[in-house]
Amino acid sequence: MTVLLRGLILHTPQNPFRTDRALEAFSDGGLALRDGQIVALGSFSEVRKQYPEAPVQDCREGVLLPGLVDTHVHYPQTRVIGAMGYSLLDWLEKRTLPLEARLSDNKLARELAREFVGLLLRNGTTTALVFGSHFQGATANLFGAAEDVGLRLIAGQICSDRMLRPELHTTPERSYAEQKMLIQRFHGRGKLRYAVTPRFALSASEGLLEVCQTLLQEHPDLHFTTHINENLEEIRTVAELFPWSRHYLHTYDRFGLVTERSVLAHNVHPTEPELARLAEARAAIAHCPSSNAFIGSGIFPMNRHLRHGVRFGLGSDVGGGTGFSLLKEGLMAYLAQRYAPEGVRLTPAHLLYLATLAGAEALGLGETVGSLTPGKAADVIWVKPEPGSALEVHFRHLDSAEDLLGSLFTLHGEAQVHQVWLEGRAAPLVF
Ligand SMILES: Nc1nc2[nH]cnc2c(=O)[nH]1
Ligand SMILES: [Zn+2]
């Protein structure tokens, strides 16, 4: 059955870093959904003519957007959000890893998994690349929870075999066996995909990175994700642990882990050769602006990434980040670039692109999601201003789509994700 959504529709089917006309807006727009796909987009009157019999859902209060894409978020860390006053390595040791160690308890893991996928959806995230758990059972729970609600999920069991805490350490042999089972069970099942996920080079021996390489060789369509160049002390430690490495990226590249299926989180302090190599390999960066500020990692050198042609999308990086909202990450990216000495002048179209299509492309899903182009999956969100809020005033009085988008990102805290469609089906937002 075809359904029509009517309302203000905004998306960025093109890259605003390359063209001035990337933002497409339909002030009284129509979006036709059928069999999980978008089948038409245009002015409401045009789309209505194509589907005169279809039922219409009136979404004229607020705005319809593509589902948001989070390229970096940690499933076990919802309850870590807000731990102030740390930098990366002491934040991990004192606040994050103790909680992650508790996910050996499957009951807790199941509860956190349900809570986590619910929070993604409530914030309008319909596709996510997720750091799983160090435990096989907990990671299986994450896949199960995503499947239950229909979230498009790429995730994997984290592997580490040093420098964290003993409960979180595996061995190369054990990690291989556990990951193999998860890959067989979940990779390619519905909307689930598997990502090989060493936590970071600091906590992975060469033997473990070799296991990651073997898994990617045995299953060339797997994804790969990890952290890189987030914090200066981390970078110094990695250089000591891999004395042969030319730079941080080399510790992954040596094992064949830097490809166009790789997403590396942060990259706040890259060298020029690393940027050149990332561009050459077509690997993508997950830019996590609120986390970079909150844990005090630094300001993302966006201009250098652009100059080299390195791809990047947005990541909430919960719980180093300040919450699940990618609208907020858009604003944080904007603010950080305003502070940076050679910051990029971002527009509302850039922010929407970074929160949607750029992320989809970083995950290799640019043909499937990230914009409302007909033929893509019907992953759509309806965002409304809170009654009585400043954002509502803006929605009533602004007439340029671009200004409205700017106010949506700026006043994101007054926006409510009212409804989410996953492949055309309305998802429940209360769990
Ligand atoms: N932000 C962040 N960086 C990391 N590096 C290694 N683990 C983590 C993590 O959990 N969060
Ligand atoms: Zn992270």
Side-chain angles (χ1 to χ4, degrees), residues 72 74 227 265-266 317:
H72 185 73
H74 292 255
H227 295 94
H266 299 285
D317 196 28

Coordinates of all heavy atoms in Angstrom, one line a residue, residues 72 74 227 265-266 317, ligand 2:
H72 N 29.2 6.8 14.9 CA 30.0 6.4 16.0 C 29.3 6.6 17.3 O 29.2 7.7 17.8 CB 31.4 7.1 16.0 CG 32.3 6.6 17.1 ND1 33.0 5.4 17.0 CD2 32.7 7.1 18.3 CE1 33.7 5.1 18.0 NE2 33.6 6.2 18.8
H74 N 28.6 4.3 21.3 CA 28.9 3.1 22.1 C 27.7 2.6 22.9 O 27.1 3.3 23.7 CB 30.0 3.5 23.2 CG 31.3 3.8 22.6 ND1 32.4 2.9 22.6 CD2 31.8 4.9 21.9 CE1 33.4 3.5 22.1 NE2 33.1 4.7 21.6
H227 N 39.1 3.5 16.9 CA 39.4 4.9 17.2 C 40.8 5.3 16.7 O 41.7 4.4 16.6 CB 39.4 5.1 18.7 CG 38.1 4.9 19.4 ND1 37.7 3.7 19.9 CD2 37.1 5.8 19.6 CE1 36.5 3.9 20.4 NE2 36.1 5.1 20.2
A265 N 37.2 6.7 14.3 CA 36.5 7.8 15.0 C 37.6 8.8 15.5 O 38.6 8.4 16.0 CB 35.8 7.2 16.2
H266 N 37.2 10.0 15.4 CA 37.9 11.2 16.0 C 38.9 11.9 15.0 O 38.6 12.9 14.4 CB 38.5 10.9 17.4 CG 37.5 10.5 18.4 ND1 36.6 11.5 18.9 CD2 37.1 9.3 18.8 CE1 35.8 10.8 19.7 NE2 36.0 9.5 19.7
D317 N 29.2 9.6 19.7 CA 30.1 9.1 20.6 C 29.6 9.0 22.0 O 30.4 9.3 23.0 CB 31.5 9.8 20.5 CG 32.6 9.1 21.2 OD1 32.5 7.8 21.3 OD2 33.6 9.7 21.7
Ligands
ZN2 ZN 34.2 6.3 20.7

